[in-house]
Amino acid sequence: MAKLNVNGKVREFSADEGTPLLWVLREQLGLTGTKYGCGLAQCGACTVHIDGVPTRSCVRPASSVKATEKIVTIEGLSPDGSHPLQKAWVALDVPQCGYCQSGMLMAAAALLKAKPNPSDADIDAAMTNICRCGTFNRIRAGIKAAAKGGDMKSASLDIQHIALANEVTKS
């Protein structure tokens, strides 16, 4: 049986040579946080890290990943949700539908590891994932907040939660 090092554990799998890593992760290893979006490496929903490099797992054959290469999925980024990006995502209500967000978080984590204080241009260059809901401003704000140690004011995103009851009584 072939082996993969996923989230710090060596796991065995059996798949045809051309089977994408995405399907091995989801169907054989039960790691369903990594999503299928397009199957063409365009949307980024399937982004995982291989030796720290963000990789589109929908087009990478599992057979091409050596057992010595370290794969990190969204489940391995921080199992308890304590990664600064995950905290920023929650605090700033980044996800709308949430489908693309595991890939977004993985791409953002790789960016912050390479550039701990990214500029807008750095974020634009690194975040090539697609969000069909259009939460790009919140994603940028989440990255900036995480880079600043969780300072939500540094995120440059003014989110105001207004209670529906207040809106109804004003009418």
Side-chain angles (χ1 to χ4, degrees), residues 5 20 27 52 55 61 149:
N5 182 333
E27 294 180 0
T55 304

Side-chain angles (χ1 to χ4, degrees), residues 15-26 39 56-63:
D16 292 337
E17 188 173 319
T19 302
L21 175 61
L22 171 65
W23 298 121
V24 170
L25 293 171
R26 290 182 58 79
R56 306 284 168 101
S57 65
C58 70
V59 295
R60 176 83 186 257
S63 62

Side-chain angles (χ1 to χ4, degrees), residues 1 6 11 18 58 62 66 79-80 90 101-102 124 152 161 171:
M1 283 199 128
V6 183
R11 309 278 303 267
C58 70
K66 298 177 184 130
D80 63 357
V90 170
Q101 295 302 309
S102 61
D124 291 344
M152 296 308 144
H161 296 279
S171 304

Side-chain angles (χ1 to χ4, degrees), residues 61-126:
S63 62
S64 74
V65 182
K66 298 177 184 130
T68 56
E69 293 178 290
K70 295 178 182 177
I71 301 167
V72 177
T73 67
I74 190 67
E75 292 91 347
L77 184 63
S78 173
D80 63 357
S82 64
H83 191 282
L85 282 165
Q86 291 170 311
K87 288 181 177 180
W89 251 235
V90 170
L92 295 172
D93 294 325
V94 171
Q96 189 167 328
C97 82
Y99 194 82
C100 67
Q101 295 302 309
S102 61
M104 290 287 188
L105 282 162
M106 297 306 289
L111 167 62
L112 289 180
K113 187 171 183 179
K115 296 188 177 193
N117 191 21
S119 66
D120 284 341
D122 294 331
I123 294 170
D124 291 344

